[in-house]
């Protein structure tokens, strides 16, 4: 995969429809995407739209979608948020959370290390305990913000998670158990977590499920896997029901039916590409012919252009 396609794939993943950033897609292949500049523009433009999902859990959705969706748990014990966008957006996050409940934000959970989800850590780490998969801390220690072509100011120590886990951790908070679950496979990244607010029956799925329609982004630079993503989403389907409100990494609030459709779409395209590969066809041939019509992207997708998705699957089949 060329650096250019990687850039464009991630560009589409993270901005989905962000017309303001069209110019960034045209950067030369060798150039680095300046996340500080992206974050500054996001800080100026984003408005957080609040939806209450249970007595204690809220969705904060950014408009325009220049950052990931946030979940907020607010109640007697205090405040927990899932994901924190980027530093220039942090004042607006704090204001949006204060509208729900005043007081310190006690916990920040990172769904994964990407800059549009954990990029705001430094603005919260002094007051909040940051919780994340061990590989999130590892990637932030590397000053990695996303794929190889992204540059930004290095993360200071206060941006690092202080509570890490390998499989899962449960917080008993605001009257319910809140499970932060790594499903065991590298997927969107090597440290994805879904957050299950058990009694509220709400899940924050992170970028393993961007509810936009189309092929997802796989961060191959850190060992992400299309097959792992498929298998993790099958596990997530096991813990949700028809009533579960699913907060995707990006895009509108979703249902189990939306997640099932996405899982099946991912699984069936993988199956098709795997068949082509075992039949002895080359990556170039499969890309040239494209996928069958029934796999046309739906909704506002695709997040990764079809040839990029075929490449992700092809490479993941060799892992
Ligand atoms: Zn991501």
């Amino acid at each position: 995969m060329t650096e250019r396609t990687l850039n464009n794939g991630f560009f589409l993943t993270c901005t989905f429809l962000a017309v303001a950033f069209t110019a960034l897609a045209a950067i030369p292949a060798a150039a680095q995407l300046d996340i500080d500049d992206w974050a500054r523009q996001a800080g100026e433009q984003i408005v957080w739209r609040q939806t209450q999902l249970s007595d204690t859990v809220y969705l904060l959705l950014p408009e325009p979608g220049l950052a990931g969706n946030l979940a907020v748990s607010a109640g007697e014990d205090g405040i927990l948020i899932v994901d924190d966008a980027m530093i220039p957006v942090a004042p607006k996050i704090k204001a949006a959370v204060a509208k729900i409940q005043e007081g310190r934000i006690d916990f920040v959970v990172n769904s994964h290390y990407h800059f549009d989800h954990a990029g705001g850590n430094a603005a919260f780490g002094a007051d909040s305990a940051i919780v994340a998969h061990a590989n999130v801390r590892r990637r932030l220690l590397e000053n990695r913000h996303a794929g190889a072509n992204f540059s930004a100011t290095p993360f200071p120590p206060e941006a690092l998670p202080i509570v890490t886990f390998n499989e899962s951790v449960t917080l008993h908070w605001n009257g319910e158990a809140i499970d932060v679950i790594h499903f065991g496979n590298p997927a969107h990244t090597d440290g994805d977590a879904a957050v299950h607010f058990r009694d509220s029956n709400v899940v924050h799925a992170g970028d393993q499920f961007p509810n936009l329609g189309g092929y997802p982004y796989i961060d191959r630079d850190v060992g992400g896997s299309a097959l792992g993503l498929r298998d993790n989403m099958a596990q997530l389907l096991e813990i949700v029901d028809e009533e579960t409100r699913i907060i995707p990494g990006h895009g509108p609030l979703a249902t189990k039916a939306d997640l099932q459709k996405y899982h099946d779409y991912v699984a069936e395209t993988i199956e098709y590409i795997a068949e082509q590969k075992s039949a002895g066809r080359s990556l170039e041939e499969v890309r040239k012919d494209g996928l069958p019509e029934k796999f046309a992207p739906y909704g506002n997708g695709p997040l990764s252009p079809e040839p990029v998705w075929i490449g992700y699957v092809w490479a993941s089949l060799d892992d």
Side-chain angles (χ1 to χ4, degrees):
M1 183 190 311
T2 65
E3 291 178 339
R4 173 62 186 271
T5 56
L6 178 67
N7 260 349
N8 283 347
F10 194 81
F11 169 78
L12 288 161
T13 302
C14 289
T15 64
F16 74 91
L17 314 177
V19 178
F21 284 83
T22 301
L24 291 177
I27 59 172
Q32 290 199 316
L33 190 138
D34 185 336
I35 289 172
D36 290 337
D37 191 49
W38 178 322
R40 185 182 51 73
Q41 294 193 46
E44 288 168 7
Q45 294 179 29
I46 282 177
V47 174
W48 291 100
R49 193 156 59 79
Q50 176 199 310
T51 307
Q52 185 164 7
L53 303 178
S54 76
D55 286 348
T56 54
V57 177
Y58 299 75
L59 159 68
L60 290 178
L61 187 143
E63 288 181 344
L66 300 174
N69 291 329
L70 269 63
V72 179
S73 168
E76 278 188 5
D77 295 329
I79 301 169
L80 171 152
I81 64 174
V82 180
D83 286 347
D84 57 24
M86 297 156 255
I87 291 170
V89 188
K92 287 183 175 175
I93 293 175
K94 290 177 180 177
V97 171
K99 268 195 216 166
I100 297 170
Q101 182 168 308
E102 298 274 355
R104 185 177 64 146
I105 295 174
D106 302 277
F107 293 101
V108 174
V109 178
N110 293 150
S111 66
H112 62 298
Y113 83 90
H114 285 160
F115 73 93
D116 51 335
H117 297 262
N121 277 7
F124 295 89
D127 296 324
S128 315
I130 301 175
V131 180
H133 187 275
N135 284 342
V136 172
R137 182 179 165 90
R138 176 181 167 197
R139 298 310 176 187
L140 297 184
L141 270 169
E142 293 171 353
N143 276 317
R144 179 181 284 274
H145 296 258
N149 279 358
F150 295 77
S151 69
T153 305
F155 290 103
E158 62 268 27
L160 299 174
I162 61 164
V163 180
T164 61
F165 60 91
N166 287 306
E167 295 172 358
S168 70
V169 65
T170 299
L171 293 97
H172 300 272
W173 191 250
N174 291 334
E176 68 179 329
I178 303 171
D179 300 319
V180 187
I181 310 162
H182 175 66
F183 289 113
N185 303 297
H188 175 66
T189 68
D190 62 349
D192 302 299
V195 182
H196 184 206
F197 301 87
R198 276 195 234 168
D199 290 358
S200 295
N201 201 7
V202 172
V203 166
H204 188 300
D207 275 358
Q208 292 183 101
F209 177 34
N211 185 29
L212 300 168
Y215 315 109
Y217 173 70
I218 302 293
D219 188 341
R220 292 289 301 166
D221 287 349
V222 297
S225 165
L227 281 64
L229 186 145
R230 173 198 61 194
D231 297 345
N232 287 358
M233 291 305 90
Q235 290 183 63
L236 180 56
L237 280 165
E238 295 291 317
I239 63 169
V240 300
D241 61 35
E242 274 64 28
E243 308 300 318
T244 307
R245 318 287 293 275
I246 304 175
I247 300 172
H250 298 269
L253 194 62
T255 63
K256 182 177 184 179
D258 297 322
L259 177 63
Q260 184 76 58
K261 179 177 178 180
Y262 167 73
H263 165 271
D264 294 351
Y265 182 78
V266 166
E268 287 167 21
T269 56
I270 289 173
E271 190 180 358
Y272 176 82
I273 295 163
E275 282 167 8
Q276 303 302 307
K277 194 172 187 192
S278 9
R281 301 187 70 212
S282 71
L283 173 59
E284 290 64 36
E285 285 169 344
V286 176
R287 276 181 165 159
K288 185 163 169 289
D289 291 350
L291 300 181
E293 186 66 26
K294 65 175 177 174
F295 297 130
Y298 56 97
N300 292 321
L303 307 180
S304 296
E306 183 182 284
V308 175
W309 174 244
I310 294 171
Y312 290 151
V313 174
W314 203 270
S316 300
L317 287 164
D318 288 333
D319 286 344

